[in-house]
């Protein structure tokens, strides 16, 4: 098997895909020791053709493929799309529209975050050869067996997608999946602006001084990781950011007294830059601190019990609908609903409200009850007896 290694070959292949209803796409990449994923292989299949593309080939320009990724008339099909989408977004080619068969599998009743090989086995009755799973995809040359393994991922995906789509359409759930796809293709989900890096962490305090240092240190780590192309954790662990924000050291000696900071960090090449970032934040903490939501009032004493009740209701409704419960609501959603009937949560919006949210509010009001019928939980309406006049 010969991969595509020239721009001319890639352009010819991509021209042949124009006008197709969809393409199945997968990538192989390495990022264990880097910040940016290193794209090593791209596999593409349509109903009429398929190919493996070698992005590491000298002189290969990926632009013909990136044009297809940007083509809004062509559906791009992935499985567990987030990291693949991140790669194309980094290449300025957000793949829209897209369809994620893992999310679709959750809506079709195949459980939470079903693995690709399990979905192929259940829907196509095909066992996938896993012998090349741990290949070093950056090493060249790749063997025919490795290339065949990589290509099979998208040829099976191209067969799987129409079957899965039809199943969702018949059950009236295709719109559910399409709603999820919008979130996956939102560029904001892949924003790596260092000044926004603090958002992926959880600040524990709301004081301006703490938040300013928290944001500044998070930005410094993100920027350093990007510039050095190293994982964030190799620069500084998440827990160290909270400690630095709490202690706000302004000297190299102060850095070395912190438990979360690696030993000798103050004397390293990182120390002076980190101290400079902290001092910059402390120069105007009120102006630099991010705005975070103030914690609301403490939940009522019954909130814990209500959350547990909602968990049972969620499981019951998910089983009845044949949908993975995680697709409907998270524990965080349940906690918000327990505390507030008008909580700003996806579980009280759109199809989720219809599938679960409305019943969650009814059970809080005592209008529904959960009944154990053998080993199955049933949801029943509570009939209220009128009070005598």
């Amino acid at each position: 098997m010969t991969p595509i290694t020239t721009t001319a070959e890639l352009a010819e292949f991509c021209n042949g895909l124009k006008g197709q209803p969809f393409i199945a796409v997968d990538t192989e990449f390495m990022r264990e020791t880097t910040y940016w994923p290193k794209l090593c292989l791209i596999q593409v299949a349509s109903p009429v053709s398929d190919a493996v593309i070698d992005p590491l080939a000298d002189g290969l320009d990926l632009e013909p493929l990136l044009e297809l990724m940007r083509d809004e008339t062509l559906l791009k099909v992935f499985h567990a799309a987030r990291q693949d989408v991140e790669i194309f977004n980094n290449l300025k080619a957000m793949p829209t529209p897209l369809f994620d068969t893992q999310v679709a599998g959750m809506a079709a009743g195949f459980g939470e975050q079903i693995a690709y090989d399990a979905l192929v086995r259940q829907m196509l009755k095909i066992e996938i050869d896993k012998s090349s799973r741990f290949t070093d995809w950056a090493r060249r040359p790749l063997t025919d067996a490795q290339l065949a393994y990589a290509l099979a991922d998208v040829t099976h995906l191209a067969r799987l997608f129409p079957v899965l789509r039809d199943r969702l359409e018949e059950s009236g759930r295709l719109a559910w999946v399409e709603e999820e796809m919008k979130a996956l293709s939102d560029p904001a989900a892949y924003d790596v602006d260092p000044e926004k890096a603090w958002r992926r962490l959880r600040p524990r305090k709301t004081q301006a001084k703490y938040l300013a240092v928290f944001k500044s240190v998070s930005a410094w780590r993100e920027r350093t990781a990007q510039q050095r192309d190293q994982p964030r954790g190799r620069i500084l662990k998440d827990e160290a950011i909270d400690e630095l924000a709490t202690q706000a050291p302004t000297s190299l000696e102060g850095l070395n007294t912190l438990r979360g900071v690696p030993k000798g960090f103050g004397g390293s090449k990182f120390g002076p830059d980190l101290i400079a970032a902290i001092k910059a934040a402390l120069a105007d903490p009120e102006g630099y601190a991010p705005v975070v939501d103030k914690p609301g009032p403490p939940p009522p004493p019954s909130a814990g019990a209500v959350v547990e009740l909602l968990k049972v209701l969620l499981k019951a409704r998910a089983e009845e609908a044949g949908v993975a419960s995680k697709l409907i609501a998270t524990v965080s959603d349940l906690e918000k609903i327990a505390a507030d009937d008008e909580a700003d949560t996806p579980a009280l919006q759109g199809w989720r409200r219809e599938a679960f949210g409305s019943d969650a509010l009814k059970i809080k009001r005592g209008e529904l009850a959960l009944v154990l019928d053998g080993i199955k939980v049933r949801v029943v309406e509570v009939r209220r007896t009128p009070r005598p006049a």
Side-chain angles (χ1 to χ4, degrees), residues 295-306:
S302 61
V306 174

Side-chain angles (χ1 to χ4, degrees), residues 24-240:
V25 185
D26 188 30
T27 66
E28 309 296 343
F29 57 90
M30 309 289 285
R31 73 179 312 168
E32 288 81 3
T33 61
T34 62
Y35 178 93
W36 305 104
K38 181 179 181 180
L39 182 58
C40 301
L41 213 63
I42 307 170
Q43 306 95 274
V44 179
S46 76
V48 297
S49 62
D50 52 64
V52 174
I53 302 158
D54 184 358
L56 300 182
D58 288 341
L60 176 63
D61 184 353
L62 289 176
E63 188 56 31
L65 177 64
L66 300 182
E67 285 184 15
L68 287 182
M69 293 294 112
R70 302 184 193 106
D71 184 353
E72 296 190 359
T73 67
L74 178 64
L75 180 67
K76 275 69 70 172
V77 180
F78 299 85
H79 183 85
R82 182 165 293 276
Q83 293 193 82
D84 298 313
V85 173
E86 178 190 357
I87 288 172
F88 286 112
N89 182 60
N90 291 342
L91 294 171
K92 312 300 182 188
M94 173 62 77
T96 53
L98 65 84
F99 186 95
D100 187 335
T101 56
Q102 186 178 71
V103 175
M106 293 169 68
F110 289 101
E112 297 182 3
Q113 295 182 325
I114 184 168
Y116 176 66
D117 57 346
L119 192 58
V120 169
R121 184 186 313 115
Q122 293 185 50
M123 294 207 72
L124 301 181
K125 311 304 178 187
I126 294 172
E127 286 290 341
I128 293 179
D129 177 12
K130 302 178 184 179
S131 59
S132 297
R133 172 170 289 186
F134 299 108
T135 289
D136 178 356
W137 295 106
R139 182 175 295 177
R140 295 294 183 270
L142 294 171
T143 66
D144 284 348
Q146 290 169 331
L147 293 170
Y149 167 87
L151 185 61
D153 277 350
V154 287
T155 54
H156 294 328
L157 190 58
R159 290 181 54 195
L160 172 68
F161 161 66
V163 180
L164 187 54
R165 177 199 56 201
D166 291 347
R167 177 168 173 158
L168 290 171
E169 199 163 26
E170 290 170 5
S171 63
R173 294 177 189 165
L174 187 57
W176 296 8
V177 175
E178 290 171 346
E179 187 175 319
E180 293 303 299
M181 296 308 105
K182 292 178 183 178
L184 268 175
S185 56
D186 181 1
Y190 308 94
D191 191 345
V192 291
D193 179 356
E195 291 298 315
K196 299 176 183 177
W198 68 272
R199 295 178 178 176
R200 60 176 296 275
L201 305 171
R202 290 188 176 183
R204 298 182 181 180
K205 301 176 183 178
T206 57
Q207 297 94 329
K209 177 181 174 182
Y210 171 92
L211 288 172
V213 177
F214 192 95
K215 176 183 175 182
S216 186
V217 173
S218 300
W220 170 83
R221 182 183 70 165
E222 197 78 9
R223 192 159 39 246
T224 304
Q226 291 176 6
Q227 291 170 351
R228 297 179 63 85
D229 196 16
Q230 292 181 332
R232 298 180 185 94
R234 289 202 178 181
I235 306 297
L236 201 64
K237 300 294 185 185
D238 287 356
E239 52 268 25

Side-chain angles (χ1 to χ4, degrees), residues 300-312 334 337-339 360 363-364:
S302 61
V306 174
V307 171
E308 294 304 315
L309 195 63
L310 293 178
K311 286 180 181 178
V312 179
L334 303 185
I337 294 172
I363 211 165
K364 283 184 65 181

